[in-house]
Amino acid sequence: MASHMNQNQKAAQLHCEPLSTSAPTDAELASNRELEECMRQSGLFESQEESILREEVLGHLDRIVKLWVTRISIARGYSAQVVKEANAKIFTFGSYRLGVHGPGSDIDTLCVGPTYASREKDFFVVLHDMLLETPEVTELQAVSDAHVPILKFKFKGISIDLLYARLALWVIPEDLDISQESILRNVDEQSVRSLNGYRVTEEIVRLVPNIHTFRATLRCIKLWARKRGVYSNVMGFLGGVSWALLVARICQLYPNAVPSMLVSRFFRVYTQWRWPIPVMLRQIEEGSSLGLPVWDPRKNPRDRSHLMPIITPAYPCMNSSYNVSNSTLRVMIEHFNTALEVCKAVEGKQVGWSALFEAYEFLEAYRNYLEIDVRANGQDDLRAWKGSVESRLRQLILRIEWHTHGVLQCHPYPCELIGMRKQQHSGTFIIGLRRGKDGALIRKGQEIDLQRPVDQFKELINRYSDRKPGMAIYVIHKRKKSNAPSAAAGLGGLLTHPRSKRVAEITLVSQEMSSPLKKQKSAKYKRTEEAARGHDVEYPTKIIDNQLMMNASTTSGSLPSNKPVEDELESYSEIEFNRSKMGFEKLHVQ
């Protein structure tokens, strides 16, 4: 193990010299102009009106947090001088600070407050209530138990993610520089993580050789990642900071390249990258007097398990992609390879740049899916409940991977689906299932029991501290109805519910049904469906080759005992998706 780690550490050493300093050729400049035109037509740039509105919102938010600290200082009975000097400050980071945000994008913001303004009582109670009373603020949601605690809301229609850092200072000056390492002294761990978002963004800006080229390239890669369904940190793919770090490293390697060259080099480099060798913009800083833990697989067993390490450049250096699983890593590598082939076709004048940004046909790639249906009694409850479930879906994927020893590969779809349920307050996530390339072959008739991982997921979800009556979740297997062969190898199996008559009936009626089955739906089914709403989790138990098997003891009289139910289920092709986030056009390489 030691020699293996030494080899990885040696391979991770960054070379000061770039791979190429060649200037772009005339052909590459012409290709870049075509890429720029493609980006303009993609609607990635916000209007001047929206840009002005964002500045107004940030100014208003800054005034609110200043008033918030003033109220706290008065409530604590501090002296008039302390009240006069009471201050908090708003910083932006992420895509907005990098200059790569688009229409409808959220703004990552950080509130920096004095030592007497606590996170638990002052930020999540006092400031929360002030925002709640602000007419321009809607959809306010507190996520206090997150890895990085956050307030999420909309301000005049602009989505805001607000973090908080409590500094070891009594007075927050207006010209405060939080990029300095000394700002981390004597602050809590959650504040360090909150500060890291801004500090990492500033380091990226400082370390890229050409900020304009970096921004243009990052816009392209982010659009590609969204279209391919691999843009989501919470789902086990990569979030905004990880994609920015990957692009920044390519910019360092090719400092004189134009964006069209960098996009092509991006996929060329990362299809050949030997994960888990880390991607780093600079050497990891060790031996600081602050003594904060940094990413180091030599010392930390947890760091050793990371599959796709992408290391943040600001102290304390961390892995921004720790959520990546075996399944999601395989999915991303597959998409990198596909994108590389498209880039080669673009270079050969076989297709235009728009081919790179055509969306992935998720439902054509998989024959089997897990549907996670989330329901609540009200929209506010649904928003909070759905966020809690979404943040834990990765745990379901990890449990399935471990339990099936790599036989099943899970591909979570990073956008919520709409139109799958008639309930007003509901949302649905889906996970594509297929045989893992590194797993054992599934023999015909072989059963794969998923009961245990879904039971464990149920236990995890039930720990949600703010759960209210009406909050329910159902995990249901569905198989795509298609006359044509699947675009990717499926399991060739469906899930059974052999436990009891009630469980089998709940499973059937909780799915959208095609016309023949709708006609057969009796009052008995309706009563069963109502009972299902109070059931915490409906889960699959076994995969059987090609059909859903239900024996006489588990089937109602309206359905034959051994008949495949594929024809009874509503075709996935009829489901309406939230196309504002992602379409389903097919990628063609001619």
Side-chain angles (χ1 to χ4, degrees), residues 251-500:
C251 290
Q252 289 180 330
L253 295 175
Y254 303 94
N256 296 327
V258 292
S260 62
M261 297 169 60
L262 292 172
V263 169
S264 179
R265 300 300 187 277
F266 178 94
F267 296 114
R268 192 180 302 274
V269 168
Y270 292 122
T271 52
Q272 301 177 52
W273 197 270
R274 291 183 295 154
W275 307 106
I277 293 175
V279 173
M280 302 186 293
L281 300 188
R282 66 180 182 88
Q283 289 297 322
I284 294 176
E285 184 177 346
E286 299 180 84
S288 170
S289 60
L290 297 178
L292 296 174
V294 298
W295 187 83
D296 189 346
R298 298 169 302 177
K299 301 177 182 178
N300 306 322
R302 179 176 295 183
D303 295 345
R304 227 171 280 156
S305 67
H306 292 170
L307 302 176
M308 192 183 187
I310 302 171
I311 310 305
T312 58
Y315 179 83
C317 298
M318 305 175 184
N319 177 22
S320 65
S321 55
Y322 58 87
N323 276 346
V324 172
S325 69
N326 281 300
S327 288
T328 53
L329 176 58
R330 288 194 197 103
V331 169
M332 285 187 282
I333 291 175
E334 288 172 6
H335 285 298
F336 287 162
N337 280 285
T338 300
L340 178 60
E341 294 305 312
V342 176
C343 288
K344 290 178 180 178
V346 171
E347 293 170 1
K349 303 297 182 181
Q350 296 173 280
V351 296
W353 279 110
S354 60
L356 183 65
F357 307 108
E358 291 178 0
Y360 179 55
E361 284 199 33
F362 185 82
L363 297 181
E364 289 298 318
Y366 299 92
R367 299 185 64 180
N368 291 272
Y369 300 85
L370 285 185
E371 174 188 311
I372 298 89
D373 187 33
V374 183
R375 305 179 193 176
N377 284 342
Q379 195 60 41
D380 291 339
D381 286 354
L382 177 65
R383 188 179 303 112
W385 179 230
K386 190 169 58 179
S388 176
V389 172
E390 182 182 19
S391 67
R392 290 164 173 80
L393 281 178
R394 173 178 169 269
Q395 296 301 320
L396 174 59
I397 294 169
L398 292 176
R399 282 166 168 78
I400 292 175
E401 286 180 351
W402 182 86
H403 186 72
T404 63
H405 305 287
V407 169
L408 288 186
Q409 177 176 317
C410 303
H411 183 177
Y413 181 60
C415 299
E416 178 194 354
L417 278 70
I418 62 173
M420 296 191 69
R421 293 284 177 233
K422 294 182 179 179
Q423 283 77 6
Q424 181 179 0
H425 305 297
S426 67
T428 300
F429 303 99
I430 58 173
I431 298 174
L433 299 174
R434 71 177 177 187
R435 185 182 65 232
K437 290 185 176 180
D438 298 333
L441 293 177
I442 300 177
R443 299 185 304 272
K444 185 174 182 179
Q446 178 184 350
E447 298 180 358
I448 301 176
D449 191 345
L450 294 183
Q451 177 178 327
R452 185 174 180 181
V454 181
D455 272 343
Q456 293 171 341
F457 180 62
K458 169 186 174 179
E459 293 174 3
L460 181 65
I461 293 298
N462 285 340
R463 296 174 191 168
Y464 181 53
S465 58
D466 296 326
R467 188 168 183 178
K468 299 178 181 179
M471 290 182 174
I473 175 175
Y474 304 87
V475 180
I476 306 165
H477 172 269
K478 281 192 174 182
R479 185 183 182 190
K480 180 184 66 176
K481 180 180 179 182
S482 176
N483 295 325
S486 174
L491 291 173
L494 286 176
L495 304 177
T496 66
H497 298 263
R499 289 193 162 190
S500 68

Side-chain angles (χ1 to χ4, degrees), residues 32-242:
N32 190 63
R33 287 191 291 270
E34 294 173 1
L35 178 60
E36 290 176 347
E37 180 59 29
C38 181
M39 289 296 97
R40 279 192 291 269
Q41 294 178 3
S42 298
L44 294 181
F45 303 93
E46 68 178 0
S47 65
Q48 182 67 23
E49 292 76 12
E50 185 173 356
S51 179
I52 294 173
L53 178 60
R54 288 181 185 272
E55 294 177 4
E56 292 176 354
V57 165
L58 290 172
H60 196 163
L61 183 59
D62 190 61
R63 293 192 294 272
I64 289 176
V65 297
K66 293 181 188 307
L67 177 60
W68 164 63
V69 174
T70 300
R71 287 184 180 180
I72 293 172
S73 62
I74 294 173
R76 303 276 163 81
Y78 293 143
S79 67
Q81 183 63 29
V82 173
V83 173
K84 181 180 179 181
E85 294 176 341
N87 190 34
K89 186 172 174 60
I90 291 291
F91 293 87
T92 62
F93 62 99
S95 61
Y96 184 79
R97 173 66 184 89
L98 290 174
V100 294
H101 62 287
S105 299
D106 59 8
I107 305 179
D108 295 311
T109 55
L110 168 67
C111 174
V112 173
T115 187
Y116 55 82
S118 70
R119 174 178 290 101
E120 293 76 13
K121 294 183 178 179
D122 296 322
F123 183 74
F124 280 112
V125 177
V126 180
L127 181 58
H128 176 277
D129 292 346
M130 289 179 65
L131 292 170
L132 198 61
E133 296 169 358
T134 304
E136 296 89 348
V137 173
T138 58
E139 301 183 16
L140 179 61
Q141 178 186 355
V143 190
S144 58
D145 59 347
H147 184 66
V148 182
I150 187 173
L151 283 175
K152 302 171 73 70
F153 54 92
K154 287 187 176 181
F155 201 124
K156 294 184 178 179
I158 302 295
S159 296
I160 302 290
D161 287 349
L162 181 62
L163 311 182
Y164 179 62
R166 177 186 182 185
L167 301 186
L169 300 172
W170 272 83
V171 178
I172 304 297
E174 277 299 306
D175 60 350
L176 178 67
D177 181 6
I178 61 175
S179 63
Q180 299 299 315
E181 185 178 308
S182 59
I183 205 70
L184 303 176
R185 194 175 302 277
N186 298 323
V187 302
D188 61 88
E189 186 177 350
Q190 291 175 321
S191 292
V192 170
R193 289 197 289 263
S194 298
L195 287 163
N196 214 34
Y198 173 86
R199 290 164 47 77
V200 167
T201 303
E202 292 302 302
E203 277 294 284
I204 292 174
V205 172
R206 185 180 69 84
L207 291 171
V208 294
N210 185 317
I211 188 62
H212 301 292
T213 300
F214 164 75
R215 285 172 176 164
T217 307
L218 181 55
R219 281 187 184 275
C220 296
I221 297 301
K222 288 181 66 173
L223 175 62
W224 170 85
R226 291 185 187 278
K227 290 288 188 179
R228 304 303 291 181
V230 293
Y231 190 104
S232 176
N233 178 62
V234 71
M235 290 288 193
F237 295 109
L238 303 183
V241 64
S242 295

